[in-house]
Amino acid sequence: MARETWATRSGFILAAAGSAVGLGNIWRFPWMTAENGGSAFLVVYLLIILAVGVPGLLGEFVIGRRARRNPVGALHDLSGSRRWAAVGGLSALTGVALLSFYSVVGGWILRYLLVSLVGPFTGGAAYLADPGAYFGSVSFGAHAVAYHLLFLGVTGAIVLGGVRRGIELGTKVMVPAVLVLLVGMAAWVSTRSGTGAGYDFFLAFDLDGLRENLFAVLGPAAGQALFTLSVGAGTMITYASYLDEDRSLPFDGSVIALLNTGVGVLAGLVVFPLLFSQGVDPGTGGPGALFVGIAGAFAALPGGEALAVVFFGVVTLAALSSSISMLEIPVAVLVDEGGWSRRRAVGSLLALIATTGSVTALRPGLFDFVAGTLVDLLLTVGLIAFLLFAGWVLGRDAIEEYLTGAGAFASRLATPWLFAVGVAIPTFLVFTLLTTAGVDGRVGFWPTVGAAVGVVGVAVGATLVGLRRRRAAV
């Protein structure tokens, strides 16, 4: 059976951007920004997107297009090693873990959208009277399970349609709609009184605050950057594997990163001014901050119910554009490696994630662990592995794939890019893991840097030894 491909270049870009443009930008980004110092977090986040996210995105693109396989098949075929295939298999588990909490949040979004739609006919949206109490009553429990299953079903229906008729067609509608509606909402919010404090919190550069909190912000900012760009889970390997023509991967990757970052900033320009205009502290509420804070703001605004429909409609589209990419990772593995039909793969995975997501929807503590610590760890470790693979297993082949279709400017960056993905970025990512674990606080900054260099050195050494053994066996 012939493997599916993207119908158009714009379809690939919008699908990949849609994977990035999701709840990570509109739900998680404001939450993380509020809890980590506002503008200080934004500065670190943007720097990591540029220096780590874009090169990492290209690393996954190179692997996917070179092999034209899912993460398991790609790493196995390009290396000839079952161990690397097992590393690729981690991406399928990451996709399941992601959806196990993401579909719960997607269920919250669907519920708020439906409640907003019926509000004019029921005397007002139910959450407007007491947003905090309402969210507390519906965020976890049997109702959360039901809406999680509904959101998961919509996601499965789109993925079941395949690459062209499902994912590409859906994201061609969703991503432009999200951008247009967010721009409109940001423009509307800018006309409201009392928004200045929100803009200052989000955009005012605070050098002293950045210096004092740099290492505390570094880990969350790195995790957020990887989450919003969908790197580290194998999504971009999978999507690049459906490319059927030579095109500039550096250009496509830059466009995708720009779209993703733009949506995150737009979300901040909507959420923070709106919250501050109503006197709502954005740093409270954790995962429910968006729902409680925004719902409270809508309750106090003229025409707030109509605005709520638009806002939660935008967030629903963004949530779906990402959830379909998360499901596509393990689906591609089962279709390519197991020879399963797409229908069987989608149905089986929906049954699995329906179970794991239901457990997450019933246990708030487990939800917080999966949505924060576990996801950040899996994405970071996954990206480290993919970059070491591109830099040391592919090596010159990675340069060749990078240069295919690249323009003159991008071509000049090929060698620095390979050094970055093979050495610099993995070292930085290991350093963020160590600082997140508090190692720098116990042993100091430079010993932590040395430990990060040592870990990467051991990983590179093991990779090179494995390559020599396989070549000798051949």
Side-chain angles (χ1 to χ4, degrees):
M1 182 174 64
R3 199 168 191 270
E4 289 190 273
T5 59
W6 303 110
T8 62
R9 180 175 192 171
S10 63
F12 163 65
I13 290 176
L14 289 175
S19 174
V21 175
L23 290 181
N25 277 310
I26 301 177
W27 164 68
R28 199 174 189 262
F29 178 67
W31 164 30
M32 290 286 103
T33 303
E35 289 196 343
N36 291 281
S39 60
F41 178 87
L42 176 63
V43 170
V44 177
Y45 166 77
L46 292 177
L47 290 174
I48 293 175
I49 287 284
L50 178 64
V52 177
V54 175
L57 193 63
L58 294 177
E60 292 201 28
F61 279 173
V62 162
I63 295 171
R65 190 172 71 174
R66 188 75 177 181
R68 302 190 187 279
R69 300 288 297 276
N70 62 82
V72 175
L75 268 60
H76 179 266
D77 289 357
L78 295 175
S79 68
S81 168
R82 292 183 179 179
R83 291 182 179 178
W84 277 112
V87 171
L90 178 66
S91 64
L93 296 177
T94 301
V96 172
L98 283 166
L99 267 178
S100 295
F101 87 86
Y102 198 94
S103 57
V104 176
V105 183
W108 297 346
I109 297 292
L110 272 182
R111 184 186 188 106
Y112 273 71
L113 175 60
L114 294 175
V115 169
S116 300
L117 287 170
V118 303
F121 309 101
T122 59
Y127 56 77
L128 294 177
D130 190 341
Y134 182 83
F135 181 76
S137 67
V138 304
S139 54
F140 297 99
H143 289 289
V145 171
Y147 279 94
H148 139 70
L149 295 175
L150 177 60
F151 180 83
L152 193 60
V154 176
T155 299
I158 296 172
V159 174
L160 188 61
V163 174
R164 293 191 178 187
R165 292 184 296 108
I167 299 172
E168 183 170 352
L169 183 61
T171 51
K172 277 185 174 180
V173 174
M174 294 175 192
V175 175
V178 169
L179 286 170
V180 170
L181 291 172
L182 276 178
V183 168
M185 290 190 68
W188 179 85
V189 168
S190 69
T191 66
R192 310 301 302 173
S193 61
T195 58
Y199 290 121
D200 287 342
F201 175 80
F202 185 49
L203 299 176
F205 181 65
D206 182 4
L207 182 59
D208 291 336
L210 185 61
R211 286 173 176 169
E212 293 174 3
N213 300 297
L214 178 60
F215 294 121
V217 169
L218 197 59
Q224 177 64 21
L226 303 192
F227 184 83
T228 59
L229 279 178
S230 288
V231 291
T235 304
M236 296 307 177
I237 292 178
T238 304
Y239 274 18
S241 74
Y242 296 129
L243 291 171
D244 64 346
E245 59 181 86
D246 295 335
R247 59 186 66 172
S248 174
L249 295 181
F251 176 82
D252 289 355
S254 299
V255 171
I256 292 163
L258 181 62
L259 283 172
N260 167 75
T261 306
V263 169
V265 172
L266 279 172
L269 292 176
V270 171
V271 172
F272 294 117
L274 191 58
L275 294 182
F276 275 90
S277 71
Q278 302 303 315
V280 177
D281 181 3
T284 60
L290 176 68
F291 300 92
V292 176
I294 290 293
F298 289 152
L301 290 170
E305 289 193 63
L307 183 62
V309 173
V310 176
F311 180 80
F312 288 117
V314 171
V315 181
T316 299
L317 293 176
L320 286 170
S321 69
S322 285
S323 64
I324 59 180
S325 72
M326 296 174 188
L327 183 57
E328 181 63 19
I329 305 167
V331 165
V333 171
L334 293 176
V335 171
D336 291 347
E337 307 307 312
W340 292 28
S341 68
R342 178 168 284 268
R343 180 178 296 276
R344 180 187 175 194
V346 170
S348 299
L349 287 165
L350 287 181
L352 172 62
I353 299 167
T355 302
T356 57
S358 294
V359 174
T360 307
L362 293 171
R363 301 183 63 183
L366 178 62
F367 174 91
D368 290 342
F369 170 73
V370 174
T373 304
L374 180 61
V375 165
D376 285 351
L377 179 63
L378 288 174
L379 292 180
T380 303
V381 171
L383 183 58
I384 291 170
F386 293 147
L387 295 185
L388 290 176
F389 184 90
W392 297 97
V393 177
L394 290 184
R396 293 179 181 177
D397 289 341
I399 290 286
E400 179 183 333
E401 196 64 42
Y402 172 100
L403 291 173
T404 301
F409 177 75
S411 297
R412 288 194 290 271
L413 298 176
T415 299
W417 167 78
L418 188 65
F419 172 79
V421 300
V423 178
I425 296 176
T427 302
F428 169 78
L429 292 174
V430 172
F431 177 78
T432 64
L433 289 177
L434 295 176
T435 56
T436 301
V439 173
D440 60 311
R442 294 191 293 272
V443 303
F445 172 77
W446 288 112
T448 305
V449 172
V453 172
V455 170
V456 172
V458 170
V460 170
T463 300
L464 294 176
V465 168
L467 283 172
R468 291 193 187 98
R469 288 177 177 173
R470 286 191 293 277
R471 288 168 181 167
V474 173

